[in-house]
């Protein structure tokens, strides 16, 4: 019996100014992803809190930065199965009082908390 090696799930390469700012070094204070993982320009991905397959959109209120491996592992599973409140709080804290162009970190924090609350019925 021949066993085929497992292949990683493809990432879809969604683009958004949040990820672009990170990759261009405009968010140097953001070192940890939404799930608590260490981020760098090679492993960062956009995580849809509400997956596209469940009606989520590629818009700021539904996007966080996460390690691509965790993003792939979560796929379209419920957010509650992966959510760690301490890691989420640390992630959001990195954006407090941050203002770069059209990006307002405090508004981003409020939007993410609202989205998460709606998805896990807090």
């Amino acid at each position: 019996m021949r066993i085929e090696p497992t292949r990683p799930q493809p990432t879809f390469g969604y683009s958004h100014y949040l990820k672009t700012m990170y990759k261009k070094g405009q968010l140097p204070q953001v070192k940890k992803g939404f799930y608590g993982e260490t981020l760098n320009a090679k492993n960062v991905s956009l995580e849809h809190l509400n997956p596209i397959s469940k009606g989520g959109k590629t818009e700021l209120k539904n996007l966080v930065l996460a390690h691509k491996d965790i993003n792939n592992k979560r796929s379209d599973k419920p957010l509650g199965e992966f959510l760690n409140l301490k890691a989420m709080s640390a992630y959001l804290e990195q954006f407090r009082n941050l203002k770069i162009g059209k990006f307002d970190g405090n508004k981003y924090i409020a939007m993410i908390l609202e989205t998460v609350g709606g998805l896990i019925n807090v």
Side-chain angles (χ1 to χ4, degrees):
M1 174 156 102
R2 183 170 182 220
I3 299 174
E4 294 292 323
T6 58
R7 293 190 178 128
Q9 292 287 339
T11 58
F12 295 97
Y14 289 105
S15 186
H16 188 273
Y17 67 86
L18 179 64
K19 183 177 173 183
T20 301
M21 287 175 21
Y22 181 86
K23 285 192 151 205
K24 287 184 174 183
Q26 296 172 337
L27 300 173
Q29 73 288 353
V30 178
K31 303 200 184 314
K32 295 288 184 181
F34 186 74
Y35 302 109
E37 67 285 16
T38 301
L39 295 180
N40 63 51
K42 291 183 180 180
N43 69 25
V44 69
S45 69
L46 286 174
E47 169 74 299
H48 291 79
L49 296 173
N50 184 21
I52 298 266
S53 65
K54 308 263 185 201
K57 305 283 184 209
T58 303
E59 53 192 20
L60 190 59
K61 68 182 181 180
N62 191 43
L63 297 173
V64 293
L65 298 172
H67 191 289
K68 64 183 176 183
D69 291 344
I70 296 175
N71 190 348
N72 287 337
K73 182 176 179 181
R74 178 179 168 225
S75 183
D76 66 350
K77 294 179 183 93
L79 180 62
E81 291 181 23
F82 285 77
L83 187 62
N84 174 310
L85 293 178
K86 185 176 179 181
M88 180 185 77
S89 293
Y91 170 79
L92 294 174
E93 187 61 34
Q94 298 172 112
F95 293 93
R96 186 171 306 284
N97 299 323
L98 178 67
K99 289 192 180 191
I100 299 173
K102 64 181 179 177
F103 182 82
D104 181 320
N106 293 336
K107 288 181 181 177
Y108 175 66
I109 292 168
M111 288 189 294
I112 295 305
L113 289 173
E114 183 178 342
T115 299
V116 169
L119 292 172
I120 60 170
N121 301 315
V122 175

